[in-house]
Amino acid sequence: MSLIRALSKDLEARSDNSLRALFAARPDLISPMAPDFAALAARASARVSVQRALERLNKPEMQVLETLHLCTNADTGHSVSAAGLKKVIAGSTLSALDPILAKLQELALVHRADPPAGSPATTSRQRFYLPVGSLKDVIGIYPAGLGRSYTELVRLQPAFAQRVVQLVAELQQSGLGIHPASTPMDAALALQRWTSTPENLSSILATAPERTIGLLDKFGGWAMGAVPQAQRRASVTHESADVGPIDWLLARGLLVPLDAGHVELPHSVGIALRGGAIVDDFTLAPPVPELGHTSAALRRNAAMGAIAETLRLTGELLFVVREQPLATLRSGGVGVRELRRLAESIRCGVHQTAILLELCALGGLLRLDVDSSTWVQPPSLEWLTLPRQEQWLWLVNAWLASERAPSLVGQPLTGPASASAAHQGAAGTTINALSAEAQRPDAPVVRRRVLEILNELTLEAAAPDGKAPVLDARAVLQRAEWSQPRMSRRFSSLVRGILEEATLLGLMGSGAFTQLGSAVAGAQPEQAMTILGEHLPAAVNHILLQADLTAVAPGYLAPELSETLLLMADAEGQGPASIYRFSATTIRRALDAGQDAESLLAFLREHSATDVPQPLAYLVQDTASRHGRLRIGTSASFIQSDDETAITDLLQEARTSALSLVRIAPTVLTSSASPRETARVLRELGLSPAVQEAETAVVRFKRTTAVPGSTRPVYTAPRTAPPDDDVEAQLSVLRQHRGVPAEAAGEASTQLGLETLQKAIRLKQAVTMNVVDSLGNANTETVVPVSVSGGRVRVFDPAKDTERVLSIHRIIDVEPAKELRS
């Protein structure tokens, strides 16, 4: 029976609660809604859906699934039970395997099947299983880390097929007890029998050179390895006394060369090295890392200090960008030179500045102005007026939901981006801040999972009172590789950066996971705000003015105080006790922003714990007295006329309002519009103006509109289950088809057709296809499919003795030429 049809029957027999659990674990199955059980089974068997489901399995579940895949054959109906798996999974028990198989069935990755033909009657009470048809493609060519069989290597590796008969002959001449062979397939079977048991392999390796066993141990987790000049090795009849372990293994066929630089450990050799088991490291318990400890007080103080410093630096960064926007590169992102300027302005390291810059952009504190190609601060930014607890939560929410990895900034480019940069002769080969190369669509899922692992490890460590376990990337990666082995590569590329970012945000402190981090991992922002309110030092609302024209901040300043102080003084130093230095330049900067001497002195008197020193008061008053004697404005064009009355009439004319005319002299007007636009408006009024400047010399004016303040980001965890309403609607549709035989149609028909073609290719059987030609005429043909890829199938037509390529979408129906219906 077709695997999809069998899975469809399995799904139809389930209860509503079982289907709800399936949809919660695999929400993609009902997006969009499946019309019937056949379509649902087809989706559950689709490669992409199976791949997503496998990413959520832990190591023992993957080991059982891969072993089941190796021990079954859907073409012959050879299923397997927990008792059969127990024989090839070392250390397993039926009580451990049964729940795992039940979960795999609940996830629709396997389904119940009949016992294999010829099974004893005692197996009738056992449960037998078969995997979904696409599992082989998803797992890959090395399930459980084992290589392919000798027969498969002979079939797929022409170079090995050409020399395997001679190799067996040489082994036989050396008296190694291998059966003779005259064809490549016979030779492959002989090698397979020769290496089929641990005892046989042990006797073969008894005369191996030193370090051979150590070399084979490196193939314990993966069947392929890199070996220089793999296809140019000594034969067994001409090997010297000092032959190396690689040459020795290649000469005996224990390693098979794939190409000039890679070798593969055959399946039977890998099984024998594992003592005859497919899995030799099965365990239900996750690895327990060895962790150090730090004091809970030190963890809390480090976290609170990091939060306060991050908020202070963020405020300074926003001020610097407001004063001088960040220019972007033509290729996108902020260049290294601009990033260094920003780092010097806020007195911080370049890498930390890059992370802060990314966080500001993630939270909407900065935006890209497409007109000027610069990153600017939006007007009326709400974040600046919030309490520090809410500022922190704003940044954390933006970080959790972001599909960017800020810590990747500065790392080398890899893949197509690196090749493109090299091809274009680009000097920069690293990831720039705010560039597209730091985009990672899976970042929210990985980030959330890392926080969950940190919380799990912290709870499991059960540290004594007053202590907290110190966690590092190694411990997180070790747990991630056990809990989600199919996603370990994603974790390895992001986890160190996530820990660094979590430290800046106070989720980690002194290397330990904080109470704040635990609250965030548990999606409890209210609890996090309560913890932060209890332990984050209150913001300081005063400064200490000194006679040397400086002010000392005795702690982290309130946002509004820091904002105004940065406007009228330059910050120096780092940390909470910053020094702010006043000068004529900084006072002039505050005056340019609309302040005056009285307002500046009033601000200093209000927020200073001491009297305003006389030198500072003189500096403010003297600078203000000279400020504004000369005024500078902006103009894109001007209008000059000897007729003052004509100038007055233009000012009063309603149709010139778009020119934003300003009278700067009795006979001169300035306009915000370009000379060409100004001349066009005047000509429409019946005037004949003369444009004195060339168009290329005129600065154009671009009208801008106010951008509303960014909305506060609210983090929502990545959805792992569909809405309840969608689940109930799907169940309602499926109930209507329960117990009603239905012909496969739509997506189910397509999947069934592909399944039939793939099975026919494996068994080299003919199929009958109903094919529609370009004119819409349907023809029934009996052909032998050869391969399927890219939406096309290559077939051999025995009647015409030719091969053709057909588009799959033109095939209406396909079934075995001699179909055996169940």
Side-chain angles (χ1 to χ4, degrees):
M1 177 185 290
S2 161
L3 291 177
I4 294 178
R5 295 185 189 276
L7 180 59
S8 176
K9 289 186 176 181
D10 183 271
L11 294 173
E12 187 174 357
R14 295 190 182 194
S15 65
D16 286 353
N17 287 336
S18 177
L19 290 174
R20 289 188 183 97
L22 172 64
F23 300 152
R26 299 178 64 178
D28 57 298
L29 297 185
I30 60 172
S31 179
M33 191 178 299
D36 49 39
F37 283 103
L40 185 64
R43 291 184 189 179
S45 303
R47 177 173 179 171
V48 174
S49 181
V50 171
Q51 187 169 347
R52 290 174 181 169
L54 264 55
E55 289 178 349
R56 302 185 182 96
L57 299 183
N58 60 30
K59 185 177 180 179
E61 292 166 351
M62 277 301 305
Q63 288 175 329
V64 171
L65 185 61
E66 290 178 335
T67 304
L68 185 143
H69 161 63
L70 288 172
C71 294
T72 57
N73 189 326
D75 296 335
T76 61
H78 185 81
S79 57
V80 70
S81 66
L85 294 176
K86 179 177 177 296
K87 297 177 183 178
V88 290
I89 301 180
S92 65
T93 61
L94 293 179
S95 60
L97 294 177
D98 282 333
I100 293 178
L101 287 170
K103 179 180 178 180
L104 296 177
Q105 183 185 8
E106 182 180 289
L107 293 174
L109 295 173
V110 304
H111 59 84
R112 295 284 299 276
D114 295 329
S119 298
T122 56
T123 64
S124 59
R125 290 177 293 179
Q126 299 180 18
R127 297 180 178 179
F128 288 80
Y129 300 90
L130 282 174
V132 294
S134 61
L135 185 64
K136 179 179 180 180
D137 296 332
V138 175
I139 289 180
I141 61 175
Y142 299 133
L146 293 171
R148 293 166 289 185
S149 65
Y150 279 109
T151 54
E152 193 171 3
L153 288 170
V154 163
R155 184 169 56 86
L156 299 176
Q157 296 294 127
F160 180 61
Q162 291 176 3
R163 63 179 291 267
V164 67
V165 175
Q166 180 183 356
L167 185 150
V168 170
E170 292 175 354
L171 292 174
Q172 189 181 21
Q173 292 173 9
S174 301
L176 295 180
I178 189 171
H179 289 78
S182 57
T183 65
M185 193 56 65
D186 289 342
L189 293 173
L191 287 171
Q192 206 156 292
R193 286 191 295 267
W194 187 50
T195 58
S196 59
T197 64
E199 294 77 17
N200 288 353
L201 187 62
S202 297
S203 63
I204 296 170
L205 296 176
T207 59
E210 295 182 4
R211 306 189 310 277
T212 302
I213 301 298
L215 175 65
L216 289 175
D217 289 340
K218 295 181 179 180
F219 290 89
W222 197 245
M224 188 178 70
V227 173
Q229 299 181 349
Q231 292 176 339
R232 298 173 59 188
R233 294 300 191 180
S235 67
V236 70
T237 57
H238 298 92
E239 62 185 26
S240 59
D242 58 348
V243 64
I246 293 178
D247 292 335
W248 192 89
L249 293 169
L250 284 169
R252 285 157 179 77
L254 301 181
L255 287 179
V256 175
L258 301 178
D259 52 35
H262 296 88
V263 296
E264 182 174 326
L265 188 77
H267 181 88
S268 58
V269 180
I271 291 289
L273 286 173
R274 298 182 184 184
I278 293 177
V279 175
D280 60 350
D281 60 345
F282 182 79
T283 176
L284 296 177
V288 180
E290 296 181 3
L291 304 176
H293 292 85
T294 186
S295 68
L298 184 59
R299 175 186 65 175
R300 182 183 63 249
N301 293 340
M304 295 303 155
I307 292 172
E309 184 71 359
T310 296
L311 295 179
R312 181 185 71 83
L313 290 173
T314 302
E316 290 196 18
L317 185 149
L318 293 175
F319 176 81
V320 172
V321 173
R322 185 167 67 250
E323 293 297 310
Q324 184 176 353
L326 292 174
T328 59
L329 300 171
R330 284 184 296 178
S331 58
V334 175
V336 176
R337 183 178 301 176
E338 194 78 342
L339 189 62
R340 286 175 180 167
R341 175 185 69 80
L342 183 61
E344 291 174 0
S345 300
I346 65 173
R347 307 167 312 285
C348 184
V350 174
H351 185 61
Q352 185 177 356
T353 302
I355 296 178
L356 292 172
L357 181 60
E358 288 273 349
L359 287 175
C360 289
L362 299 180
L365 309 185
L366 296 176
R367 65 171 178 83
L368 180 63
D369 184 359
V370 295
D371 291 333
S372 61
S373 295
T374 57
W375 285 89
V376 299
Q377 177 186 312
S380 304
L381 184 59
E382 180 188 359
W383 187 87
L384 295 171
T385 62
L386 294 175
R388 290 199 299 169
Q389 293 94 324
E390 295 189 30
Q391 287 183 335
W392 171 83
L393 186 60
W394 183 308
L395 294 178
V396 169
N397 281 340
W399 176 70
L400 289 172
S402 169
E403 293 187 353
R404 294 183 60 81
S407 293
L408 291 182
V409 175
Q411 293 190 14
L413 285 169
T414 58
S418 177
S420 176
H423 176 72
Q424 297 173 5
T429 57
T430 58
I431 297 176
N432 291 317
L434 305 180
S435 65
E437 287 75 21
Q439 198 78 10
R440 292 292 186 275
D442 58 346
V445 176
V446 175
R447 196 175 288 126
R448 178 192 180 196
R449 184 64 189 128
V450 168
L451 294 180
E452 291 174 348
I453 290 175
L454 289 169
N455 196 36
E456 292 171 8
L457 293 174
T458 300
L459 295 176
E460 291 174 6
D465 293 340
K467 296 290 184 179
V470 176
L471 304 170
D472 56 10
R474 179 190 58 81
V476 175
L477 285 173
Q478 187 182 45
R479 176 58 60 89
E481 289 171 356
W482 184 88
S483 62
Q484 290 178 281
R486 299 276 300 185
M487 291 186 65
S488 58
R489 294 185 65 180
R490 302 186 191 180
F491 280 96
S492 62
S493 63
L494 296 177
V495 66
R496 289 174 177 83
I498 290 175
L499 294 181
E500 182 180 5
E501 295 153 13
T503 300
L504 283 178
L505 293 170
L507 307 180
M508 299 280 292
S510 191
F513 198 52
T514 64
Q515 292 178 316
L516 279 176
S518 179
V520 171
Q524 297 176 324
E526 296 82 5
Q527 181 182 351
M529 293 282 284
T530 301
I531 296 172
L532 199 61
E534 293 176 357
H535 299 291
L536 185 66
V540 176
N541 204 31
H542 68 275
I543 54 176
L544 304 175
L545 295 176
Q546 302 185 105
D548 61 349
L549 299 180
T550 61
V552 176
Y556 290 105
L557 300 178
E560 61 277 3
L561 174 57
S562 175
E563 181 79 8
T564 306
L565 196 58
L566 283 171
L567 184 65
M568 58 192 305
D570 288 332
E572 298 177 352
Q574 294 180 343
S578 298
I579 296 176
Y580 296 84
R581 186 170 299 280
F582 299 93
S583 65
T585 301
T586 61
I587 298 299
R588 194 177 299 115
R589 183 172 65 207
L591 295 172
D592 289 340
Q595 301 284 348
D596 55 29
E598 288 302 321
S599 63
L600 293 178
L601 290 174
F603 172 82
L604 294 175
R605 293 190 193 99
E606 179 184 356
H607 294 286
S608 175
T610 59
D611 294 335
V612 178
Q614 193 176 51
L616 179 57
Y618 284 165
L619 175 66
V620 173
Q621 293 170 350
D622 184 58
T623 304
S625 66
R626 297 194 302 271
H627 183 267
R629 292 180 179 178
L630 296 176
R631 293 188 297 274
I632 300 174
T634 301
S635 176
S637 61
F638 70 90
I639 303 172
Q640 189 273 333
S641 174
D642 295 334
D643 187 350
E644 295 185 20
T645 304
I647 293 295
T648 302
D649 292 341
L650 283 178
L651 280 173
Q652 297 175 351
E653 175 62 50
R655 286 176 289 178
T656 63
S657 59
L659 301 180
S660 301
L661 298 178
V662 177
R663 193 168 194 166
I664 62 175
T667 59
V668 180
L669 297 175
T670 63
S671 171
S672 61
S674 66
R676 177 176 294 180
E677 176 66 16
T678 302
R680 184 188 65 79
V681 174
L682 296 182
R683 290 188 182 108
E684 289 177 354
L685 296 175
L687 303 176
S688 301
V691 181
Q692 296 180 353
E693 292 182 324
E695 179 67 20
T696 55
V698 177
V699 179
R700 292 181 178 273
F701 176 81
K702 294 183 178 179
R703 184 175 301 276
T704 60
T705 57
V707 178
S710 59
T711 57
R712 186 178 309 184
V714 178
Y715 170 69
T716 55
R719 178 173 290 278
T720 57
D724 293 340
D725 292 344
D726 292 353
V727 172
E728 295 305 318
Q730 177 65 84
L731 288 175
S732 177
V733 172
L734 294 177
R735 289 190 195 104
Q736 298 174 7
H737 293 84
R738 183 165 278 157
V740 179
E743 294 294 331
E747 56 186 306
S749 176
T750 302
Q751 290 285 357
L752 284 168
L754 286 173
E755 183 184 56
T756 302
L757 288 173
Q758 290 166 348
K759 181 176 180 179
I761 291 171
R762 291 192 300 268
L763 301 179
K764 299 181 179 180
Q765 293 179 342
V767 296
T768 300
M769 296 191 302
N770 194 0
V771 183
V772 177
D773 60 20
S774 58
L775 299 178
N777 300 316
N779 300 307
T780 302
E781 305 178 13
T782 300
V783 295
V784 178
V786 178
S787 64
V788 177
S789 64
R792 296 175 179 272
V793 55
R794 186 162 61 94
V795 300
F796 172 72
D797 191 338
K800 300 179 181 178
D801 197 23
T802 58
E803 284 192 359
R804 289 185 297 148
V805 176
L806 301 174
S807 296
I808 292 179
H809 72 272
R810 292 189 178 278
I811 302 175
I812 299 177
D813 188 27
V814 57
E815 59 184 14
K818 295 181 179 179
E819 185 179 15
L820 298 176
R821 299 188 179 275
S822 300

